Amino acid sequence: MMEYKGYFAKVEFDDEANIFHGEVINLRDVITFEGESVDELRKAFTDSVEDYLEFCAERGEDPEKPYSGKFLVRVGPELHKTLVIQARKNGKSLNTWVNDTLLKVVKDRTH
């Protein structure tokens, strides 16, 4: 995984073509890049992100932000009820409880 200015890229190696290729994964817009070496790949990645930001500026558009901090999760009614009850038992809003629970899960898995 590569990161530049908050944009994250997934990289794969094509053995037949003997080339690395990557794609920014935290945008709806498509940003791709490639290189024959790690240095070329890293340069192509940063250049592609910079080109994207420049293109947006030229068009007078704000670049898409990698993450807004919001996402919609659909669950069944019974699970929704259970989550609300758990949140209230802990004296929290559903949003705060879910956020805290997700943080705990992520921390537990990264340690």
Side-chain angles (χ1 to χ4, degrees):
M1 189 79 66
M2 299 173 70
E3 187 269 334
Y4 178 70
K5 292 190 174 182
Y7 296 93
F8 289 85
K10 175 181 79 168
V11 176
E12 296 180 358
F13 181 71
D14 183 334
D15 192 41
E16 287 183 25
N18 199 36
I19 197 163
F20 295 99
H21 56 89
E23 179 178 359
V24 174
I25 59 172
N26 57 330
L27 293 177
R28 287 185 306 268
D29 292 327
V30 178
I31 301 175
T32 60
F33 53 95
E34 62 184 36
E36 292 182 7
S37 69
V38 172
D39 289 339
E40 273 186 29
L41 183 72
R42 190 176 318 278
K43 174 93 171 91
F45 173 46
T46 59
D47 287 351
S48 292
V49 170
E50 290 297 335
D51 289 346
Y52 169 70
L53 297 173
E54 224 176 84
F55 176 75
C56 290
E58 287 171 6
R59 294 184 58 157
E61 298 175 353
D62 289 332
E64 184 180 341
K65 297 207 185 304
Y67 298 102
S68 69
K70 298 177 187 178
F71 67 98
L72 176 67
V73 178
R74 297 195 187 283
V75 297
E78 283 301 310
L79 178 55
H80 190 176
K81 177 180 84 175
T82 302
L83 295 173
V84 169
I85 291 168
Q86 287 299 316
R88 289 190 179 154
K89 280 182 180 179
N90 287 279
K92 298 178 180 180
S93 69
L94 177 59
N95 188 66
T96 300
W97 185 82
V98 169
N99 186 73
D100 293 350
T101 302
L102 291 173
L103 279 172
K104 182 180 181 326
V105 169
V106 169
K107 285 179 183 177
D108 288 349
R109 291 191 179 198
T110 59
H111 290 110

PDB file of all heavy atoms in Angstrom, residues 18-32:
ATOM      1  N   ASN A  18       6.402  -7.478 -16.839  1.00  0.00           N
ATOM      2  CA  ASN A  18       7.505  -7.045 -15.989  1.00  0.00           C
ATOM      3  C   ASN A  18       7.350  -5.578 -15.569  1.00  0.00           C
ATOM      4  O   ASN A  18       8.275  -4.782 -15.672  1.00  0.00           O
ATOM      5  CB  ASN A  18       8.849  -7.267 -16.692  1.00  0.00           C
ATOM      6  CG  ASN A  18      10.002  -7.281 -15.712  1.00  0.00           C
ATOM      7  OD1 ASN A  18       9.863  -7.776 -14.601  1.00  0.00           O
ATOM      8  ND2 ASN A  18      11.123  -6.737 -16.127  1.00  0.00           N
ATOM      9  N   ILE A  19       6.139  -5.261 -15.094  1.00  0.00           N
ATOM     10  CA  ILE A  19       5.845  -3.880 -14.714  1.00  0.00           C
ATOM     11  C   ILE A  19       4.927  -3.849 -13.497  1.00  0.00           C
ATOM     12  O   ILE A  19       4.097  -4.736 -13.314  1.00  0.00           O
ATOM     13  CB  ILE A  19       5.216  -3.118 -15.901  1.00  0.00           C
ATOM     14  CG1 ILE A  19       5.279  -1.612 -15.672  1.00  0.00           C
ATOM     15  CG2 ILE A  19       3.808  -3.567 -16.183  1.00  0.00           C
ATOM     16  CD1 ILE A  19       5.057  -0.812 -16.937  1.00  0.00           C
ATOM     17  N   PHE A  20       5.126  -2.849 -12.667  1.00  0.00           N
ATOM     18  CA  PHE A  20       4.224  -2.588 -11.547  1.00  0.00           C
ATOM     19  C   PHE A  20       3.123  -1.658 -12.047  1.00  0.00           C
ATOM     20  O   PHE A  20       3.397  -0.739 -12.818  1.00  0.00           O
ATOM     21  CB  PHE A  20       4.950  -1.873 -10.396  1.00  0.00           C
ATOM     22  CG  PHE A  20       6.021  -2.682  -9.737  1.00  0.00           C
ATOM     23  CD1 PHE A  20       7.356  -2.494 -10.073  1.00  0.00           C
ATOM     24  CD2 PHE A  20       5.700  -3.608  -8.757  1.00  0.00           C
ATOM     25  CE1 PHE A  20       8.350  -3.227  -9.449  1.00  0.00           C
ATOM     26  CE2 PHE A  20       6.683  -4.329  -8.126  1.00  0.00           C
ATOM     27  CZ  PHE A  20       8.021  -4.150  -8.475  1.00  0.00           C
ATOM     28  N   HIS A  21       1.909  -1.887 -11.606  1.00  0.00           N
ATOM     29  CA  HIS A  21       0.833  -0.942 -11.913  1.00  0.00           C
ATOM     30  C   HIS A  21       0.012  -0.741 -10.654  1.00  0.00           C
ATOM     31  O   HIS A  21      -0.125  -1.634  -9.825  1.00  0.00           O
ATOM     32  CB  HIS A  21      -0.032  -1.390 -13.101  1.00  0.00           C
ATOM     33  CG  HIS A  21      -0.647  -2.738 -12.946  1.00  0.00           C
ATOM     34  ND1 HIS A  21      -1.867  -2.922 -12.366  1.00  0.00           N
ATOM     35  CD2 HIS A  21      -0.190  -3.971 -13.277  1.00  0.00           C
ATOM     36  CE1 HIS A  21      -2.161  -4.214 -12.361  1.00  0.00           C
ATOM     37  NE2 HIS A  21      -1.157  -4.873 -12.897  1.00  0.00           N
ATOM     38  N   GLY A  22      -0.477   0.479 -10.511  1.00  0.00           N
ATOM     39  CA  GLY A  22      -1.213   0.806  -9.301  1.00  0.00           C
ATOM     40  C   GLY A  22      -2.442   1.632  -9.599  1.00  0.00           C
ATOM     41  O   GLY A  22      -2.589   2.188 -10.691  1.00  0.00           O
ATOM     42  N   GLU A  23      -3.306   1.713  -8.597  1.00  0.00           N
ATOM     43  CA  GLU A  23      -4.529   2.487  -8.699  1.00  0.00           C
ATOM     44  C   GLU A  23      -4.854   3.072  -7.331  1.00  0.00           C
ATOM     45  O   GLU A  23      -4.738   2.394  -6.321  1.00  0.00           O
ATOM     46  CB  GLU A  23      -5.687   1.594  -9.163  1.00  0.00           C
ATOM     47  CG  GLU A  23      -6.993   2.325  -9.269  1.00  0.00           C
ATOM     48  CD  GLU A  23      -8.123   1.439  -9.775  1.00  0.00           C
ATOM     49  OE1 GLU A  23      -7.893   0.255 -10.064  1.00  0.00           O
ATOM     50  OE2 GLU A  23      -9.239   1.955  -9.865  1.00  0.00           O
ATOM     51  N   VAL A  24      -5.240   4.358  -7.335  1.00  0.00           N
ATOM     52  CA  VAL A  24      -5.686   4.983  -6.093  1.00  0.00           C
ATOM     53  C   VAL A  24      -7.020   4.344  -5.731  1.00  0.00           C
ATOM     54  O   VAL A  24      -7.919   4.257  -6.571  1.00  0.00           O
ATOM     55  CB  VAL A  24      -5.802   6.512  -6.250  1.00  0.00           C
ATOM     56  CG1 VAL A  24      -6.404   7.142  -5.001  1.00  0.00           C
ATOM     57  CG2 VAL A  24      -4.424   7.116  -6.538  1.00  0.00           C
ATOM     58  N   ILE A  25      -7.143   3.883  -4.488  1.00  0.00           N
ATOM     59  CA  ILE A  25      -8.319   3.088  -4.111  1.00  0.00           C
ATOM     60  C   ILE A  25      -9.327   3.825  -3.252  1.00  0.00           C
ATOM     61  O   ILE A  25     -10.394   3.294  -2.978  1.00  0.00           O
ATOM     62  CB  ILE A  25      -7.899   1.784  -3.388  1.00  0.00           C
ATOM     63  CG1 ILE A  25      -7.089   2.098  -2.129  1.00  0.00           C
ATOM     64  CG2 ILE A  25      -7.136   0.875  -4.328  1.00  0.00           C
ATOM     65  CD1 ILE A  25      -6.808   0.886  -1.262  1.00  0.00           C
ATOM     66  N   ASN A  26      -9.015   5.041  -2.823  1.00  0.00           N
ATOM     67  CA  ASN A  26      -9.966   5.717  -1.943  1.00  0.00           C
ATOM     68  C   ASN A  26     -10.635   6.915  -2.622  1.00  0.00           C
ATOM     69  O   ASN A  26     -10.894   7.915  -1.990  1.00  0.00           O
ATOM     70  CB  ASN A  26      -9.306   6.107  -0.615  1.00  0.00           C
ATOM     71  CG  ASN A  26      -8.078   6.988  -0.772  1.00  0.00           C
ATOM     72  OD1 ASN A  26      -7.374   6.908  -1.758  1.00  0.00           O
ATOM     73  ND2 ASN A  26      -7.819   7.814   0.209  1.00  0.00           N
ATOM     74  N   LEU A  27     -10.934   6.756  -3.905  1.00  0.00           N
ATOM     75  CA  LEU A  27     -11.653   7.763  -4.688  1.00  0.00           C
ATOM     76  C   LEU A  27     -12.619   7.093  -5.638  1.00  0.00           C
ATOM     77  O   LEU A  27     -12.399   5.957  -6.056  1.00  0.00           O
ATOM     78  CB  LEU A  27     -10.681   8.585  -5.549  1.00  0.00           C
ATOM     79  CG  LEU A  27      -9.693   9.498  -4.889  1.00  0.00           C
ATOM     80  CD1 LEU A  27      -8.800  10.125  -5.954  1.00  0.00           C
ATOM     81  CD2 LEU A  27     -10.396  10.586  -4.120  1.00  0.00           C
ATOM     82  N   ARG A  28     -13.667   7.829  -6.008  1.00  0.00           N
ATOM     83  CA  ARG A  28     -14.526   7.351  -7.092  1.00  0.00           C
ATOM     84  C   ARG A  28     -13.856   7.644  -8.426  1.00  0.00           C
ATOM     85  O   ARG A  28     -14.001   6.902  -9.386  1.00  0.00           O
ATOM     86  CB  ARG A  28     -15.902   8.017  -7.025  1.00  0.00           C
ATOM     87  CG  ARG A  28     -16.771   7.511  -5.896  1.00  0.00           C
ATOM     88  CD  ARG A  28     -18.170   8.116  -5.967  1.00  0.00           C
ATOM     89  NE  ARG A  28     -18.159   9.561  -6.012  1.00  0.00           N
ATOM     90  CZ  ARG A  28     -18.226  10.368  -4.954  1.00  0.00           C
ATOM     91  NH1 ARG A  28     -18.299   9.844  -3.752  1.00  0.00           N
ATOM     92  NH2 ARG A  28     -18.207  11.673  -5.082  1.00  0.00           N
ATOM     93  N   ASP A  29     -13.114   8.783  -8.502  1.00  0.00           N
ATOM     94  CA  ASP A  29     -12.359   9.102  -9.708  1.00  0.00           C
ATOM     95  C   ASP A  29     -11.281   8.040  -9.893  1.00  0.00           C
ATOM     96  O   ASP A  29     -10.833   7.416  -8.938  1.00  0.00           O
ATOM     97  CB  ASP A  29     -11.710  10.483  -9.603  1.00  0.00           C
ATOM     98  CG  ASP A  29     -12.732  11.609  -9.594  1.00  0.00           C
ATOM     99  OD1 ASP A  29     -13.786  11.460 -10.249  1.00  0.00           O
ATOM    100  OD2 ASP A  29     -12.482  12.632  -8.930  1.00  0.00           O
ATOM    101  N   VAL A  30     -10.870   7.854 -11.144  1.00  0.00           N
ATOM    102  CA  VAL A  30      -9.874   6.821 -11.443  1.00  0.00           C
ATOM    103  C   VAL A  30      -8.507   7.470 -11.626  1.00  0.00           C
ATOM    104  O   VAL A  30      -8.340   8.338 -12.475  1.00  0.00           O
ATOM    105  CB  VAL A  30     -10.260   6.028 -12.707  1.00  0.00           C
ATOM    106  CG1 VAL A  30      -9.196   4.997 -13.038  1.00  0.00           C
ATOM    107  CG2 VAL A  30     -11.619   5.363 -12.527  1.00  0.00           C
ATOM    108  N   ILE A  31      -7.552   7.049 -10.807  1.00  0.00           N
ATOM    109  CA  ILE A  31      -6.167   7.484 -10.931  1.00  0.00           C
ATOM    110  C   ILE A  31      -5.318   6.216 -10.975  1.00  0.00           C
ATOM    111  O   ILE A  31      -5.305   5.438 -10.028  1.00  0.00           O
ATOM    112  CB  ILE A  31      -5.723   8.360  -9.740  1.00  0.00           C
ATOM    113  CG1 ILE A  31      -6.588   9.607  -9.622  1.00  0.00           C
ATOM    114  CG2 ILE A  31      -4.249   8.737  -9.894  1.00  0.00           C
ATOM    115  CD1 ILE A  31      -6.272  10.455  -8.401  1.00  0.00           C
ATOM    116  N   THR A  32      -4.618   6.018 -12.101  1.00  0.00           N
ATOM    117  CA  THR A  32      -3.756   4.854 -12.252  1.00  0.00           C
ATOM    118  C   THR A  32      -2.337   5.315 -12.576  1.00  0.00           C
ATOM    119  O   THR A  32      -2.118   6.452 -12.986  1.00  0.00           O
ATOM    120  CB  THR A  32      -4.255   3.922 -13.371  1.00  0.00           C
ATOM    121  OG1 THR A  32      -4.271   4.636 -14.603  1.00  0.00           O
ATOM    122  CG2 THR A  32      -5.645   3.381 -13.056  1.00  0.00           C
TER     123      THR A  32
END
